[in-house]
Amino acid sequence: MTTAFALTPQQRAWCARLRTLGEQLAPLAARCEDGSVDRPLLRELGTLGLLARAVPAAPPWRRGSALDLCLLRESLAYSCPQAETALALQGLGAGPVTDAGTAEQRARWLPAVAAGRAVAAFALSEPGAGSDAAALALHAEPDGGAGDDDPAGSPDGWRLTGTKTWISNAPWADFYTVFARTGEAPGARGVTAFLVPADRPGLHGEPLDMLAPHALGTLTFDAVPVTRADLLGAPGAGFRVAMRTLNLFRPSVGAFAVGMAQAALDASLEHADSRAAFGGTLRDLQSVSHRLAEMATRTEAARLLVYAAACAYDGSDGEGADLARRSAMAKLLATETAQDVVDAAVQIHGAAALQRGHLLEHLYREVRAPRIYEGASEVQRSLIAKELYRERAEGRAEARGAASGRAGAGEGPAVGVGEAVRDDPPEAAAGRAADQAGEDRL
C-alpha cells in the first residue's frame, strides 16, 4: 500500500523506467524548433501510452490517480523536461473536457489527445487577468433566442470577443478550453467554459517568444461563434470547471519542479566529486558539502509534500475539504525549492553551467516559469492563509456546537451569562466571505 511517505517497489521501478524513457525521448525532443508544438514527440508519447496516463483514452473517461500523475511528471522532468511539458499541457488542456465535457465532446477529442494526434490547450489567462480571475474580460455575447428545452431561457449560442494570452500550445492547438464572461453573477461566478475548435471563424493566434522555449501564444477572438453544444458544464460555472483541473494539476506542477531539482542535485553531486579544487575535490570543501546536503534535504521535503497532496486528492476522490491548501503548499514549496536548488547547482558548477546547451543552462530557464503559471507563488500563499483561517473558523464553530449540545444535555452552560447564542459564529461568516473572495483567484 502506498503512503504519502513511501513508494512501493513497483512504483519505484516504474519511475526508473520512466527516466529511461525520458532519456530515449530527449534526442527526439531536441530536434523540435524552439517555441512550437512538438507533434512528433506527442505522437511518441501517445504510442508509449504515457499520454493516456494524463488524458483518458476511452470510456468511462476516468483519469488515473493524482499520485501516478506526479510520479510520471517528476520522472520525465528528470531526464527530458520537454517531454514532461508536452504531456502535462495535453492533460491540462483536456482536463475540463474530461471533467465537464459531454459524451460527444469526450468521444471526439479525448482519444485523439491521448494518442498525440490532437493538441489541447487551456485558455484562461488574459492581458489584464492572470491570477485575478474576476478580471476576465473575454466576453460572450448572447447570439440567438432561448432554446425550447431550456426553461431558464439561456441563449442558443454566444459570440466570443476579446483576447487570451500566455496560452500554452497556442496558436498551434487543435482546440482550446476557453473561459469567458457570460455574466450570470459577479466576479468569477459569471464565467463559463467552452470547448472551441481552432478552426472556428474569427479565432486568430500569434506565438510569443519566451525565456523557456515552449509553445506559448496570444489568441484573439473576433465574434467567434459558440453554441450550447460547446459548453463545458453549465453557464456561469466555468471557474469551478477550471479549478477542478487546477486542483489536480497543481501538485503535479510541484512534481515537475522536484524532478528538475533532483536532476540539478545529481549533476552537482557528480561534479563536486570529480572537480579538482584546492588540493582535493569540491566535495571536500565544507561550504560545498553543506550546500549539497541542504539541496538534498529541501528537495526531499518538497517531494514528500507533493506526494502527500496527491495522496490526499486520491483518498478523497478530488473532493477533500483540505485539497486547496495541500495543493497550494505542494506547488509553493516545490517550485520555490527547485528554483533555489537549480541556482545553487549553477553556482557549484561555475561558468560552465552558463554555456548554451549545458543541462543546468536549460534547467535554469525551465525552472523559472512554474513559480508563475497555474497560480503564482504569491497567490498560493494567499490561498494557504485563507484556508488556514477557514479551517480555524470551522473548528471553532464545531467546538461551539458541541458545547451547545452538552449544555442542552445538562452538562453545563455553553455560553456566559448575558452572552447571545450565535447560530452563525462571526469567524465562520468571515471564513465563508474569504472563501468566496478566494474563488476569484487562481
Side-chain angles (χ1 to χ4, degrees), residues 321-344:
D322 61 349
L323 289 183
R325 172 177 56 79
R326 286 179 175 273
S327 295
M329 286 180 168
K331 181 182 186 295
L332 173 66
L333 181 64
T335 56
E336 294 288 332
T337 294
Q339 179 81 52
D340 290 344
V341 168
V342 171
D343 185 76

Side-chain angles (χ1 to χ4, degrees), residues 20-315:
T20 300
L21 288 176
E23 293 172 358
Q24 296 170 1
L25 290 168
L28 176 62
R31 292 200 291 269
C32 179
E33 181 181 351
D34 284 353
S36 62
V37 169
D38 192 340
R39 289 184 181 265
L41 178 61
L42 283 175
R43 286 193 293 271
E44 185 63 20
L45 287 168
T47 299
L48 292 170
L50 298 182
L51 284 177
R53 297 277 187 164
V55 181
W61 314 113
R62 192 167 299 154
R63 199 158 28 201
S65 77
L67 181 59
D68 280 354
L69 179 61
C70 286
L71 298 180
L72 176 58
R73 295 191 66 178
E74 177 188 341
S75 301
L76 285 179
Y78 180 88
S79 50
C80 186
Q82 300 97 316
E84 186 283 333
T85 299
L87 179 143
L89 294 180
Q90 289 286 81
L92 183 66
V97 184
T98 302
D99 291 335
T102 65
E104 292 76 15
Q105 289 169 335
R106 290 168 174 169
R108 166 67 182 86
W109 290 109
L110 294 184
V113 174
R117 298 191 306 269
V119 177
F122 188 86
L124 180 64
S125 296
E126 298 180 3
S131 299
D132 182 7
L136 284 180
L138 183 72
H139 186 62
E141 184 71 26
D143 182 26
D148 294 335
D149 61 343
D150 183 8
S154 296
D156 287 329
W158 297 260
R159 294 276 177 169
L160 304 181
T161 300
T163 302
K164 295 288 184 182
T165 194
W166 306 301
I167 306 303
S168 295
N169 284 345
W172 294 280
D174 296 301
F175 74 92
Y176 301 90
T177 54
V178 177
F179 301 86
R181 182 165 300 288
T182 47
E184 286 77 11
R189 289 168 293 284
V191 171
T192 298
F194 297 94
L195 191 160
V196 183
D199 59 359
R200 285 287 166 88
L203 178 56
H204 309 283
E206 293 291 336
L208 295 170
D209 189 10
M210 306 297 291
L211 175 67
H214 299 308
L216 214 69
T218 294
L219 299 173
T220 302
F221 295 79
D222 184 9
V224 174
V226 290
T227 69
R228 295 177 70 192
D230 298 315
L231 284 171
L232 292 169
F239 191 71
R240 293 190 181 277
V241 172
M243 287 308 299
R244 282 199 296 270
T245 295
L246 292 175
N247 280 341
L248 170 63
F249 273 83
R250 273 179 177 155
S252 72
V253 174
F256 170 43
V258 167
M260 290 190 289
Q262 188 66 54
L265 171 62
D266 287 352
S268 298
L269 289 169
E270 181 176 354
H271 181 73
D273 192 37
S274 60
R275 178 72 160 86
F278 304 105
T281 61
L282 282 178
R283 63 174 289 187
D284 298 324
L285 302 177
Q286 187 181 70
S287 60
V288 174
S289 63
H290 283 192
R291 191 69 183 100
L292 292 168
E294 182 72 17
M295 293 160 65
T297 301
R298 294 189 62 193
T299 299
E300 184 66 10
R303 175 181 287 112
L304 295 178
L305 195 56
V306 166
Y307 291 177
C311 288
Y313 186 99
D314 291 336

